[in-house]
């Protein structure tokens, strides 16, 4: 069978709960409302034995602990895949 080019996309609401500390405006404060939900968007591209997944999160930043949890979960989900040879993990974080 010939290799097939595959594409997958997903968007998830990652808005934190009210009361959580939020950064911005030069001082720490607690969230007291939601103007727009915060989204994480993923794009996965696969061809043959190579798969690339890009994830963008609409926020100022995330903690190293959270990034480590994300990396662990991605590796756990990919560990059973026969095509998996190497995982390169990176996060794209923006505040638009």
């Amino acid at each position: 069978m010939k290799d097939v080019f595959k594409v997958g996309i997903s968007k998830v609401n990652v808005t934190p709960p009210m009361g959580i500390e939020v950064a911005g405006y030069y001082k720490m404060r607690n969230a007291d409302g939601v103007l727009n939900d915060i989204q994480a968007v993923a794009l996965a591209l696969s061809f043959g034995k190579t798969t690339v997944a890009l994830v963008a999160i609409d926020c100022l930043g995330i903690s190293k602990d959270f990034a480590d949890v994300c990396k662990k979960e991605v590796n756990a989900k990919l560990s059973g895949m026969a095509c998996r040879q190497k995982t390169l993990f990176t996060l794209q974080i923006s505040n638009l």
Side-chain angles (χ1 to χ4, degrees):
M1 181 176 163
K2 284 188 166 186
D3 289 332
V4 177
F5 183 72
K6 298 177 186 177
V7 176
I9 59 172
S10 181
K11 180 168 73 170
V12 179
N13 182 342
V14 294
T15 304
M18 290 303 103
I20 193 168
E21 284 188 353
V22 293
Y25 300 102
Y26 307 104
K27 65 179 181 178
M28 293 302 293
R29 64 197 193 295
N30 294 1
D32 60 3
V34 176
L35 180 60
N36 296 304
D37 288 331
I38 298 173
Q39 303 291 325
V41 182
L43 169 68
L45 307 169
S46 182
F47 184 76
K49 293 185 177 184
T50 301
T51 300
V52 175
L54 306 171
V55 179
I57 303 173
D58 183 24
C59 65
L60 288 174
I62 61 172
S63 69
K64 180 181 181 320
D65 290 341
F66 181 70
D68 289 343
V69 167
C70 292
K71 184 176 181 178
K72 182 184 267 187
E73 288 189 23
V74 167
N75 280 320
K77 294 214 183 267
L78 295 178
S79 65
M81 296 176 66
C83 66
R84 180 174 183 247
Q85 295 177 353
K86 183 177 177 181
T87 301
L88 174 61
F89 185 81
T90 184
L91 290 172
Q92 170 61 43
I93 300 169
S94 65
N95 181 243
L96 302 173

